[in-house]
Amino acid sequence: VTSMLVGLGTARVIQLPQVMGVIIGTAIGSTLTVQLISFDLAIYALPLFILGFMTYFVAPNKLLIKNIATVIMGFAMIFLGLKMISISSHYFAELELLTEVISALKNNPIYSFAAALLFCVFVQSSAVTIGLAMSLCSAGVISSHDAILWVYGANIGTTSIALFAASSSNYIGKQIAWAHFFYKTLSVLIFYPMTQYMLDFISPAQDTPARLIANFH
């Protein structure tokens, strides 16, 4: 969505004040995606993928229907991929080398944050990055506090998509991309000092690490 906004700004269709509401809306909307991922929906992944695949090729040649089918296939692959990550995380949790790396990250929170930020820049998806943190936390590889640092890193890392899109745009497009970056960064700076207090507040009501992370987000 932010990449689309950068394109509209470059074309001078919209101005920065009109965009901020959309940026805030997408930030909240992305938390609903993470809510979906936090549930164990892997059993529905293959049926959903088959449904989306068949709809894409059988449905009338309408762009809306094909796009909806593509979204369904995408979600199915995310659910299946995260289940595979979750299964593999338990194996990696027993590796001595990985344990040492994770211990180093625990002793230096800024490293956990930076690792999540760079991973999000690489995969271009905050939902996948947070999903990985959920899997690692569920496997006992990282603590819930470390997982929240991944949430912070993912939220700033996802702004790279708009920044890349704005690299060749005019000043309006660059304004939109940097507004997105500063909005996310300021949010992290506000909430970071309150991380442990918020975890203590919401932890008693959560039954799994994945649900804890999703609701914190």
Side-chain angles (χ1 to χ4, degrees), residues 130-149:
I130 296 172
L132 175 61
M134 289 177 180
S135 299
L136 293 173
C137 187
S138 298
V141 179
I142 62 176
S143 67
S144 57
H145 188 276
D146 292 326
I148 298 307
L149 294 178

Side-chain angles (χ1 to χ4, degrees), residues 2 26-35 37 78 82 85 116-134 147-161 180 184 213-214 217:
T2 49
T26 56
I28 297 173
S30 67
T31 68
L32 301 180
T33 306
V34 174
Q35 286 287 336
I37 293 172
I78 288 176
L82 287 172
I85 290 172
L117 192 154
L118 292 174
F119 183 81
C120 187
V121 171
F122 179 73
V123 300
Q124 297 283 283
S125 173
S126 60
V128 171
T129 305
I130 296 172
L132 175 61
M134 289 177 180
I148 298 307
L149 294 178
W150 278 64
V151 171
Y152 293 148
N155 272 275
I156 295 180
T158 193
T159 64
S160 65
I161 303 170
H180 185 216
K184 291 281 191 174
I213 295 165
H217 185 221

Side-chain angles (χ1 to χ4, degrees), residues 5-88:
L5 292 175
V6 168
L8 291 173
T10 302
R12 301 181 183 274
V13 176
I14 53 175
Q15 299 291 327
L16 182 61
Q18 299 170 281
V19 169
M20 289 310 299
V22 181
I23 289 177
I24 294 170
T26 56
I28 297 173
S30 67
T31 68
L32 301 180
T33 306
V34 174
Q35 286 287 336
L36 282 175
I37 293 172
S38 69
F39 294 105
D40 188 9
L41 300 176
I43 57 174
Y44 305 110
L46 290 179
L48 271 177
F49 184 83
I50 292 170
L51 173 65
F53 186 85
M54 295 298 294
T55 302
Y56 187 89
F57 287 101
V58 174
N61 190 23
K62 292 185 178 179
L63 190 60
L64 175 61
I65 296 176
K66 289 186 178 294
N67 282 335
I68 292 174
T70 304
V71 169
I72 292 173
M73 286 191 285
F75 267 111
M77 295 302 286
I78 288 176
F79 296 147
L80 185 62
L82 287 172
K83 183 64 176 180
M84 292 178 177
I85 290 172
S86 179
I87 294 171
S88 301

